[in-house]
Amino acid sequence: MVTPQLFSGQGVVYSVATMAIESDLDLMLRVRDGDAASFEILLRRYRLPLVSFFCRMVRDQGLAEDLAQEVFLRVYTSRERYQPEARFTTWLYRIATNLALNAIRDRKDTVSDNADHDSEGGPVMERFVDPHPSVEQRILKAERERAIRQAVEALPQNQRTAVILHKYQEVDYRQIAGILNVSESAVKSLLFRAYEALRVRLEPLLREGQI
Amino acid sequence: MKCLEKDQLISYAYGLTDESAAREVRAHLGECSHCRATVEQYGRLDSLLDEWKAAEPTPEFDVRVRQAVDVRNTGRAAWAFWNWGWARGLALAGLAVMIASGAVWFSRGHRRISTFARIAARPFHSAGAAPRPARAAILHAAAPAASTGVRLAPHTSGPSAATASRSDDNDVQALEDYDMAANFDVLSEIPKGDSRIVY
């Protein structure tokens, strides 16, 4: 069993080389056996992908971090029951996807009420703006980003989830089938329709890019 | 030349197809400018979608995760302690002692109220009774103070030795009775708290 002191002290020693070499599966098996350092490596490895995933799914940084934290907590608490049959990321994103969909369902009204918050240049958007471009460039960039985000958000929920997993999290479509618990052909069909819908919606921006 | 289905082109553009199918599409694109333009458009869409950036975790994120794990570990440790048989037995025994102590304390409080209620039920304390007579008035009362409930011997005008002696005895008894009733410290018998006695 992992002792709390190991986490409290943050005295876990790990190296970049270790993070690169150790597979998720090996790390998770060691976490199951009580190795706090392995959990720390998994935390470092997946903190950014998970927070990014939740940010795109729920569009609220605070909630995104809360949900990502919950994923790590669930991974930790269910470590003794972990069975290395499926890939670790499939398991991880299945937990994450379920949490995100539940959060979207619970916060549906709130999200629609705040829909214009960051489209007006709120805190989430501003964090990524290049500190040096002109005001005009900033406005154009923000407008493009808003258009893309709205196009993705306009997709049906299952298509949106599939696109975010496939395009932004770089999860293979076979894995997405495992995460969403549907067939591979169903995932392909979701992605076909989603990318085609995005191409149609974002055609003005695509034409701009050609000029 | 017949163009490929859009699904085939999307599959090729986004890597949703196996290698043999990808080879076929590549061969077709070498000859079909329309399909090539479509694939290029999906390529531009892919680049465009990259412009949607997501936030990075705040510096506090890792700390919060560790704290959450700490809290979970603490909870599990407490539960593990409970699962030890002797610890559970000890806790239950302590609880039983506390309940028993409370029951004893509660019953003692009720007994005090009952004692007081018996004293208070005497006619001396009954509602509408005459004011308590002075000690000297009892000794020299011309008639028994029936209204006070105190036994007093009838006062005689021509005392013989025997009647004088009996009268003295009665007076002493009456005085003792009076003292018992009058000097009874009522307030000391009222239990603390909200218990109220209505006369």
Side-chain angles (χ1 to χ4, degrees):
Chain A
M1 185 175 172
V2 180
T3 55
Q5 288 76 16
L6 280 174
F7 291 97
S8 299
Q10 297 181 33
V12 180
V13 178
Y14 62 93
S15 66
V16 176
T18 308
M19 287 179 68
I21 292 168
E22 296 288 338
S23 73
D24 295 337
L25 187 67
D26 290 339
L27 290 170
M28 195 57 213
L29 289 175
R30 282 208 238 133
V31 170
R32 191 177 69 176
D33 295 337
D35 183 17
S38 297
F39 183 79
E40 186 71 18
I41 294 170
L42 286 173
L43 171 63
R44 294 296 174 118
R45 191 177 282 181
Y46 287 103
R47 58 200 284 279
L48 178 58
L50 280 178
V51 172
S52 303
F53 172 73
F54 283 119
C55 275
R56 290 194 174 96
M57 289 292 283
V58 301
R59 276 186 50 216
D60 178 329
Q61 167 118 31
L63 179 62
E65 290 201 359
D66 287 347
L67 294 172
Q69 177 186 314
E70 182 62 26
V71 173
F72 283 114
L73 202 56
R74 289 191 185 191
V75 166
Y76 181 76
T77 52
S78 54
R79 65 194 183 283
E80 286 159 5
R81 298 190 300 275
Y82 175 70
Q83 296 295 324
E85 289 158 359
R87 288 181 66 170
F88 174 74
T89 46
T90 303
W91 183 53
L92 190 76
Y93 278 115
R94 185 182 290 171
I95 297 170
T97 302
N98 288 336
L99 284 172
L101 296 179
N102 287 341
I104 289 167
R105 191 185 58 219
D106 294 345
R107 295 180 66 249
K108 203 168 186 179
D109 296 335
T110 315
V111 169
S112 60
D113 289 345
N114 295 334
D116 292 332
H117 172 65
D118 55 11
S119 65
E120 301 289 331
V124 175
M125 184 75 72
E126 299 226 337
R127 196 172 302 117
F128 308 105
V129 174
D130 185 346
H132 299 299
S134 67
V135 175
E136 195 176 329
Q137 284 174 318
R138 287 178 58 179
I139 292 170
L140 280 173
K141 189 174 167 60
E143 279 299 309
R144 286 170 68 86
E145 190 168 333
R146 184 177 62 86
I148 296 162
R149 195 197 67 228
Q150 286 182 341
V152 175
E153 285 175 356
L155 295 171
Q157 190 165 277
N158 51 2
Q159 289 183 28
R160 179 158 48 105
T161 307
V163 163
I164 289 173
L165 285 169
H166 184 254
K167 166 63 190 161
Y168 295 104
Q169 305 307 123
E170 298 179 343
V171 179
D172 183 72
Y173 73 92
R174 298 175 193 86
Q175 255 190 283
I176 296 174
I179 292 165
L180 300 181
N181 203 22
V182 294
S183 66
E184 290 179 10
S185 57
V187 173
K188 280 186 181 179
S189 176
L190 284 174
L191 290 172
F192 294 158
R193 282 180 281 152
Y195 284 125
E196 178 59 13
L198 288 172
R199 188 189 65 80
V200 170
R201 286 198 181 108
L202 296 172
E203 200 164 16
L205 290 180
L206 291 171
R207 267 192 267 114
E208 274 178 30
Q210 268 185 305
I211 296 169
Chain B
M1 177 182 289
K2 190 182 175 189
C3 285
L4 294 176
E5 293 291 327
K6 197 161 269 180
D7 289 358
Q8 287 177 282
L9 297 175
I10 294 174
S11 291
Y12 175 75
Y14 290 101
L16 304 175
T17 186
D18 56 31
E19 186 50 38
S20 62
R23 268 200 302 272
E24 286 177 26
V25 174
R26 267 197 298 272
H28 177 82
L29 293 179
E31 301 170 359
C32 180
S33 59
H34 184 262
C35 287
R36 197 162 54 240
T38 304
V39 169
E40 284 171 2
Q41 198 175 31
Y42 282 116
R44 284 198 301 280
L45 174 65
D46 195 48
S47 300
L48 182 66
L49 292 175
D50 283 336
E51 291 183 30
W52 183 22
K53 306 292 184 190
E56 292 187 4
T58 55
E60 299 80 30
F61 176 74
D62 291 1
V63 177
R64 285 176 52 202
V65 172
R66 291 187 194 103
Q67 284 174 345
V69 170
D70 279 351
V71 169
R72 188 61 60 96
N73 272 331
T74 308
R76 285 170 67 95
W79 182 243
F81 173 80
W82 177 253
N83 277 339
W84 295 344
W86 65 267
R88 193 164 40 192
L90 192 67
L92 289 174
L95 187 66
V97 168
M98 286 173 65
I99 291 171
S101 303
V104 168
W105 178 86
F106 189 72
S107 65
R108 286 186 64 185
H110 268 277
R111 197 162 61 232
R112 285 180 179 181
I113 292 173
S114 302
T115 305
F116 174 75
R118 279 200 303 276
I119 297 297
R122 292 186 174 198
F124 177 78
H125 287 270
S126 61
R132 194 165 59 213
R135 181 185 175 102
I138 294 171
L139 292 173
H140 298 96
S147 63
T148 63
V150 178
R151 291 186 297 108
L152 290 177
H155 188 70
T156 53
S157 55
S160 63
T163 49
S165 173
R166 198 166 48 248
S167 176
D168 287 347
D169 290 345
N170 288 339
D171 285 349
V172 170
Q173 182 62 48
L175 194 59
E176 286 174 358
D177 285 352
Y178 171 84
D179 286 344
M180 189 194 73
N183 296 335
F184 187 79
D185 189 358
V186 171
L187 290 177
S188 70
E189 293 297 316
I190 296 177
K192 299 255 186 318
D194 291 336
S195 302
R196 299 175 69 182
I197 305 299
V198 178
Y199 291 92

